[in-house]
C-alpha cells in the first residue's frame, strides 16, 4: 500500500513543494512503519506562504478579538473530541507513550481555552495626560506576519503555545513543524480550519532547517520569529532575525537540576526523579538531567533509583504497558551513546544503562536504556551539556548553599527543583536558583499554560510562552486625543 502523502498548506490550499522533494515520517518504535510522506520545502514555498499570510493579515487583523477567540474556543472543543486519535498518531510519529501524548494534546486544549479568554483581555492602559482636555491611552496591536519553528518533542503542545496567542492577537502565521513530527502540527492546524479559521491565516511549510527554516526567518515580510529548539540553532536563528531588526523569541536548551536534601521525602523524590529523568525518554528541555544529592542520603537514593530505572518497561508507546518509549531518531541515539562514552572517559561511574537496546521488540526501533551515572563532579561534560536522552547524572553535596552553587554553575537556566520539608530552604532556593522555573517537592518537568514558560542564560532571550506570549505577539501603540481645540505642546515647559 502506498504511503500517505501530505502537502504544504498555503493560502487555504494543500500544495506540493515547488522542489518536488519529499521526506518520510518514520515511526521510531518500528522503522518499517512509514507514518507519511511530507514536502521538503524550499525558499520558493516559503515565499508563497508568506505572501498568503500577508494577504490574510489585511482582513484578519480587523476581526474583533473576541470573534477570533471564538474560533480558538471551538478549536479546543474539537481537539477534546479528537484527543485519542491525535494522541495515537503522535505516539506513532514521535514515540512517547500514550499517557504522555494524551497530555500533549491536552496541553493544546488547555491553551486553546486559555487564549480564547484572552480575546476579551487584550488590555492596554489609560492614564492621565499632563495637559488639560487631552486623553491618553495605549493599545495592543498585532505584529503582522509571524514565523514559528517548532520542535519534535511536543509536536502539538508547543505549536499551540505559538499559534494560539499569535492568532488571538490578530497576527497571521507560517509554521514549520519539526521534520520528525509534522503530522501532529498538521492535525492541530486542520482542527483550526474545521473551527472556522479563514484561509491564509495559518500556513504550514514542512521541511528541513537550512532549506525551509532559514528563508522563513530571513524573509523581509516576516515581522517576528518564534523558535523552540537547541541553543546552537537558536543562536543562528537569533542572529539572522536580529540582522533585520525582527523580534525573536528563543526557547532553547536546559540542564536541569533536582536538589534532594537530607530531610526530603525520599520516596517522593524518587518518583520525581524517575518521571523527570525518563519521561519523554529524557527528550525534554525541562528533563531532570542532574540530581544533586545530600551526601547523607546519596547512597540510599542512588541504589533505589538504579533499581527502579532497571525495572522500567521500555517499548512501543502504543502499548499501554510501556513506561518509556524510543528516542526519536538515530541522531538522538548517537548523541546519547557519545555522551555515555564521554562520561566514562572523564571518570563517571555507569550505574545502569548506557547502551542502545536492539533485541526482540526493540530491534526495529531507536531505543536506549534508561541510564544513571554516579561519581559525577560538577565540571564533567555529562554534568554541564544537554544530552536530550534518558541519561541522568548523580552529584553529591554537603550544604544547600553548595547545591545551589552547583545548580547555577552551568550555561542554562530553565527549570530547577528542590525536595525538602524545610520552608526556609525552599524560599532560599526560590530566590537563589538561576532559572525560569523552580519547583518545590516536584520534578523539573511540566508546565501550566496560565504561567510564563521560559528560562535564562543560554536557555532563552527573555521572552516567555504561556501567559507571557501575548507580550511577544503584540506591539504597543500610544494614542493621544486632544479635545482642547488649541495647540498644546507636550514635553515643553508649561509652567506658565
Amino acid at each position: 500500500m502506498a504511503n500517505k502523502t501530505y502537502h504544504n498548506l498555503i493560502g487555504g490550499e494543500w500544495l506540493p513543494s515547488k522542489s518536488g522533494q519529499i521526506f518520510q515520517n518514520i515511526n521510531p518504535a518500528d522503522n518499517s512503519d512509514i507514518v507519511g510522506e511530507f514536502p521538503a520545502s524550499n525558499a520558493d514555498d516559503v515565499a508563497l506562504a508568506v505572501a498568503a499570510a500577508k494577504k490574510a493579515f489585511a482582513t484578519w487583523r480587523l476581526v474583533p478579538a473576541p470573534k477570533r477567540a471564538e474560533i480558538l474556543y471551538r478549536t479546543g472543543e474539537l481537539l477534546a473530541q479528537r484527543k485519542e486519535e491525535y494522541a495515537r498518531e503522535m505516539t506513532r510519529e514521535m514515540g512517547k507513550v500514550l499517557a504522555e501524548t494524551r497530555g500533549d494534546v491536552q496541553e493544546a486544549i488547555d491553551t486553546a481555552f486559555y487564549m480564547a479568554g484572552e480575546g476579551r483581555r487584550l488590555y492596554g492602559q489609560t492614564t492621565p495626560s499632563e495637559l488639560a482636555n487631552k486623553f491618553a491611552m495605549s493599545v495592543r496591536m498585532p505584529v503582522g506576519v509571524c514565523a514559528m519553528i517548532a520542535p519534535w518533542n511536543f509536536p502539538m503542545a508547543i505549536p499551540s503555545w505559538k499559534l494560539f496567542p499569535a492568532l488571538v492577537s490578530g497576527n497571521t502565521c507560517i509554521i514549520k513543524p519539526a521534520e520528525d513530527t509534522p503530522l501532529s502540527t498538521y492535525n492541530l492546524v486542520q482542527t483550526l480550519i474545521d473551527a472556522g479559521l479563514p484561509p491564509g491565516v495559518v500556513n504550514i511549510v514542512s521541511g528541513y532547517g537550512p532549506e525551509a527554516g532559514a528563508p522563513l526567518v530571513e524573509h523581509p515580510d516576516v515581522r517576528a520569529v518564534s523558535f523552540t529548539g537547541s541553543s546552537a540553532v537558536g543562536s543562528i536563528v537569533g542572529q539572522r532575525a536580529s540582522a533585520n531588526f525582527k523580534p525573536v523569541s528563543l526557547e532553547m536548551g536546559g540542564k536541569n537540576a533536582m536538589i534532594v536534601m537530607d530531610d526530603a521525602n525520599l520516596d517522593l523524590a524518587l518518583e520525581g526523579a524517575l518521571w523527570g529523568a525518563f519521561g519523554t525518554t529524557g527528550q525534554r528541555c525541562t528533563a531532570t538531567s542532574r540530581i544533586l544529592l545530600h551526601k547523607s542520603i546519596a547512597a540510599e537514593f542512588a541504589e533505589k533509583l538504579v533499581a527502579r530505572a532497571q525495572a522500567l518497561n521500555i517499548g512501543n508507546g502504543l502499548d499501554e504497558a510501556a513506561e518509556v518509549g524510543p528516542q526519536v531518531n538515530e541522531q538522538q541515539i548517537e548523541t546519547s551513546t557519545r555522551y555515555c562514552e564521554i562520561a566514562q572517559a572523564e571518570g563517571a561511574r555507569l550505574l545502569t544503562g548506557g547502551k542502545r537496546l536492539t533485541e526482540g521488540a526493540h530491534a526495529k526501533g531507536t531505543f536506549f536504556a534508561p541510564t544513571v551515572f554516579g561519581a559525577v563532579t560538577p565540571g564533567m561534560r555529562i554534568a554541564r551539556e544537554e544530552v536530550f536522552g534518558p541519561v541522568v547524572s548523580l552529584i553529591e553535596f554537603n550544604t544547600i548553599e553548595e547545591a545551589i552553587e552547583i545548580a547555577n554553575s552551568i550555561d542554562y537556566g530553565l527549570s530547577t527543583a528542590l525536595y525538602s520539608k524545610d520552608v526556609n530552604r525552599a524560599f532560599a532556593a526560590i530566590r537563589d536558583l538561576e532559572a525560569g522555573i523552580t519547583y518545590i517537592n516536584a520534578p523539573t518537568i511540566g508546565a501550566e499554560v496560565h504561567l510564563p514558560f521560559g528560562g535564562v542564560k543560554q536557555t532563552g532571550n527573555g521572552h516567555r510562552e504561556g501567559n507571557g506570549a501575548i507580550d511577544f505577539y503584540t506591539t504597543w501603540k500610544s494614542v493621544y486625543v486632544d479635545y482642547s481645540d488649541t495647540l498644546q505642546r507636550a514635553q515643553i515647559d508649561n509652567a506658565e
Side-chain angles (χ1 to χ4, degrees):
M1 187 174 74
N3 297 323
K4 187 170 182 179
T5 300
Y6 297 84
H7 298 304
N8 289 327
L9 177 64
I10 298 177
E13 297 184 60
W14 296 101
L15 303 174
S17 173
K18 290 291 187 180
S19 71
Q21 301 297 308
I22 61 169
F23 64 91
Q24 291 185 328
N25 183 5
I26 299 172
N27 182 343
D30 179 1
N31 56 31
S32 67
D33 177 24
I34 308 301
V35 177
E37 295 179 340
F38 291 80
S41 305
N42 60 22
D44 293 334
D45 304 296
V46 168
L48 288 174
V50 173
K54 185 177 180 180
K55 180 180 178 182
F57 179 68
T59 52
W60 178 247
R61 70 183 183 87
L62 300 177
V63 175
K67 295 298 182 183
R68 299 193 295 254
E70 288 174 8
I71 295 174
L72 294 186
Y73 194 89
R74 288 196 295 273
T75 299
E77 293 180 314
L78 290 174
L79 286 171
Q81 295 171 18
R82 302 171 182 179
K83 181 176 179 179
E84 187 64 18
E85 172 193 353
Y86 287 171
R88 298 187 75 84
E89 290 187 337
M90 190 187 301
T91 291
R92 190 171 160 225
E93 73 168 348
M94 187 269 168
K96 61 185 176 183
V97 298
L98 278 171
E100 294 191 45
T101 54
R102 289 170 183 142
D104 200 305
V105 181
Q106 186 62 49
E107 187 89 3
I109 295 167
D110 294 342
T111 304
F113 290 146
Y114 178 75
M115 287 300 167
E118 291 301 288
R120 295 182 183 273
R121 288 193 296 266
L122 292 174
Y123 300 135
Q125 305 95 22
T126 59
T127 187
S129 170
E130 65 190 45
L131 300 174
N133 299 317
K134 186 179 179 183
F135 179 78
M137 66 179 176
S138 63
V139 294
R140 290 185 184 269
M141 305 292 287
V143 173
V145 176
C146 297
M148 289 99 175
I149 299 176
W152 47 260
N153 57 341
F154 287 86
M156 187 172 286
I158 292 179
S160 78
W161 291 3
K162 299 180 184 302
L163 288 171
F164 293 173
L167 292 174
V168 80
S169 300
N171 303 285
T172 54
C173 309
I174 305 101
I175 186 165
K176 190 197 86 63
E179 56 268 24
D180 287 295
T181 56
L183 180 57
S184 292
T185 297
Y186 275 62
N187 286 338
L188 180 68
V189 174
Q190 183 62 59
T191 308
L192 279 163
I193 294 168
D194 294 343
L197 192 73
V201 175
V202 172
N203 305 271
I204 305 174
V205 176
S206 69
Y208 297 93
E211 294 78 21
L216 184 57
V217 170
E218 295 168 356
H219 196 289
D221 288 333
V222 168
R223 296 293 182 86
V225 178
S226 177
F227 168 85
T228 300
S230 71
S231 296
V233 176
S235 176
I236 297 170
V237 170
Q239 291 175 54
R240 291 185 176 182
S242 62
N244 293 304
F245 308 105
K246 298 176 186 180
V248 57
S249 173
L250 300 175
E251 186 55 51
M252 301 176 290
K255 190 68 179 176
N256 311 291
M258 184 178 106
I259 301 169
V260 185
M261 298 301 302
D262 51 348
D263 67 334
N265 179 335
L266 289 191
D267 290 334
L268 178 65
L270 179 64
E271 296 297 331
L274 285 163
W275 174 227
F278 305 125
T280 323
T281 321
Q283 299 171 129
R284 293 179 182 237
C285 53
T286 57
T288 304
S289 54
R290 297 180 293 159
I291 303 177
L292 280 51
L293 300 170
H294 192 278
K295 285 189 175 180
S296 65
I297 52 90
E300 177 187 357
F301 189 93
E303 181 180 357
K304 290 182 176 180
L305 179 63
V306 168
R308 290 291 299 277
Q310 291 171 341
L312 288 169
N313 185 338
I314 317 301
N316 190 321
L318 291 172
D319 180 355
E320 295 280 5
E323 297 173 286
V324 179
Q327 293 207 255
V328 75
N329 57 31
E330 289 289 340
Q331 181 181 343
Q332 295 304 126
I333 289 283
E334 292 169 5
T335 300
S336 295
T337 301
R338 184 175 74 254
Y339 270 101
C340 287
E341 293 169 351
I342 291 169
Q344 292 177 87
E346 289 187 336
R349 187 169 71 252
L350 179 64
L351 302 181
T352 189
K355 62 182 180 180
R356 181 176 188 163
L357 302 176
T358 58
E359 301 297 324
H362 303 133
K364 291 185 177 182
T366 45
F367 293 91
F368 200 86
T371 300
V372 181
F373 279 101
V376 176
T377 59
M380 292 181 179
R381 289 181 64 187
I382 197 69
R384 306 188 67 81
E385 300 176 14
E386 187 174 42
V387 179
F388 226 64
V391 180
V392 66
S393 300
L394 306 184
I395 304 171
E396 297 185 15
F397 66 88
N398 290 299
T399 66
I400 188 170
E401 292 78 14
E402 181 187 358
I404 291 173
E405 182 179 354
I406 293 169
N408 291 343
S409 67
I410 57 164
D411 293 332
Y412 301 104
L414 180 53
S415 187
T416 48
L418 173 77
Y419 280 79
S420 175
K421 297 176 184 176
D422 187 326
V423 67
N424 295 340
R425 286 172 168 172
F427 274 89
I430 291 167
R431 180 192 63 196
D432 295 336
L433 286 168
E434 296 173 355
I437 304 166
T438 295
Y439 290 89
I440 303 300
N441 293 323
T444 60
I445 65 177
E448 298 188 32
V449 300
H450 53 290
L451 279 83
F453 181 90
V456 300
K457 297 190 279 190
Q458 290 188 20
T459 289
N461 64 339
H463 295 290
R464 292 292 183 266
E465 304 210 71
N467 80 341
I470 295 292
D471 290 330
F472 180 72
Y473 291 111
T474 56
T475 186
W476 287 108
K477 176 179 282 188
S478 296
V479 178
Y480 303 96
V481 180
D482 192 318
Y483 54 98
S484 68
D485 212 26
T486 61
L487 173 63
Q488 300 193 91
R489 295 174 297 175
Q491 296 175 312
I492 299 294
D493 185 2
N494 290 291
E496 69 279 13

